[in-house]
Amino acid sequence: PGWAGATAYNRGQVLYRVAEVMEARRAELIEEVRRLSPGADAAEEVEASIDAWVHYAGWADKLAQIMGSLNPVAGPYFNLSVPEPTGVVGLVAPEQPVLGGLVERLAAALCGGNAVVALASEGAPLPAIALGECLATSDVPAGVVSILTGRRAELVPVLASHLDVDALDATGVDEDDRTAVDEAAAGNVKRVVSRHESLSPYEALAFMEMKTVWHPKGA
């Protein structure tokens, strides 16, 4: 609740602080990625991960202005629509890239004020654990991000069906398993989303609900 209720400006500051902590541990993160993804450009992946935090930090206090609206109505009222956090997001990170895939999806969900339970890459979880250390030593409040490691076959169905998980990022779910995940999520009308484009405010909006309020106009 503290994270969801924080000012958007404050959330942006916190996300930017995560980027600063990752920057300070750049060499370590590059080594982790290089060791587990020999074919990847580790330095480029870490740089892109840091940039993703900065990108969504900048969007945190702009989502309401850009994505909200003042709606036309026939009467002496203001009708306003503003985005609000959905709640708890279950996140299945893609297997590759091992760090960038998790960061890009995690930053988008946190940008709007959600809490996240993230499932790291099964084959290469160590970069996600290093990211967890960065989050723990930044200003992200305790409990806002939980990173799980383990077998996806066991954990994904739990995230999909859990009644306290309000939305599911299925970006890392195999196509063969997507139907079963959608059916499990339908049990509590859980929103299921996947990445459509990189570093976009619409990726953050996918984890938010639009709240519309009416207010009478003054004389």
Side-chain angles (χ1 to χ4, degrees):
W3 179 247
T7 65
Y9 178 74
N10 178 242
R11 286 200 297 268
Q13 289 178 307
V14 172
L15 297 187
Y16 188 79
R17 177 60 182 158
V18 177
E20 290 181 324
V21 173
M22 288 185 66
E23 181 72 39
R25 299 181 61 169
R26 174 195 294 265
E28 175 191 348
L29 293 169
I30 290 174
E31 182 57 31
E32 288 281 8
V33 173
R34 180 180 292 120
R35 187 152 53 91
L36 293 170
S37 298
D41 187 330
E44 182 177 325
E45 182 175 338
V46 171
E47 182 66 32
S49 299
I50 294 171
D51 288 347
W53 287 112
V54 175
H55 179 88
Y56 284 109
W59 270 110
D61 63 350
K62 300 172 182 66
L63 289 174
Q65 288 85 352
I66 302 299
M67 301 302 179
S69 63
L70 174 62
N71 308 313
V73 294
Y77 304 99
F78 290 114
N79 183 265
L80 308 170
S81 294
V82 293
E84 292 191 341
T86 294
V88 177
V89 174
L91 192 164
V92 184
E95 283 290 329
Q96 295 288 338
V98 293
L99 178 63
L102 171 59
V103 166
E104 186 177 313
R105 303 308 298 160
L106 178 59
L110 292 178
C111 177
N114 298 288
V116 179
V117 179
L119 179 56
S121 168
E122 180 177 339
L126 293 182
I129 294 173
L131 172 63
E133 293 174 349
C134 293
L135 294 169
T137 54
S138 67
D139 297 324
V140 178
V144 171
V145 179
S146 299
I147 296 179
L148 306 178
T149 61
R151 298 186 181 278
R152 295 197 169 201
E154 298 173 358
L155 295 173
V156 171
V158 175
L159 282 179
S161 61
H162 202 293
L163 296 181
D164 290 328
V165 175
D166 303 298
L168 180 69
D169 186 336
T171 299
V173 175
D174 292 337
E175 284 299 320
D176 293 342
D177 300 326
R178 183 58 188 266
T179 298
V181 166
D182 288 342
E183 290 175 351
N188 68 332
V189 199
K190 188 191 283 48
R191 178 181 299 182
V192 180
V193 302
S194 295
R195 180 180 60 193
H196 291 287
E197 53 185 318
S198 296
L199 303 184
S200 165
Y202 292 100
E203 297 301 305
L205 189 67
F207 302 108
M208 304 182 77
E209 306 282 350
M210 296 302 294
K211 179 179 182 180
T212 300
V213 296
W214 295 73
H215 194 281
K217 291 181 179 179

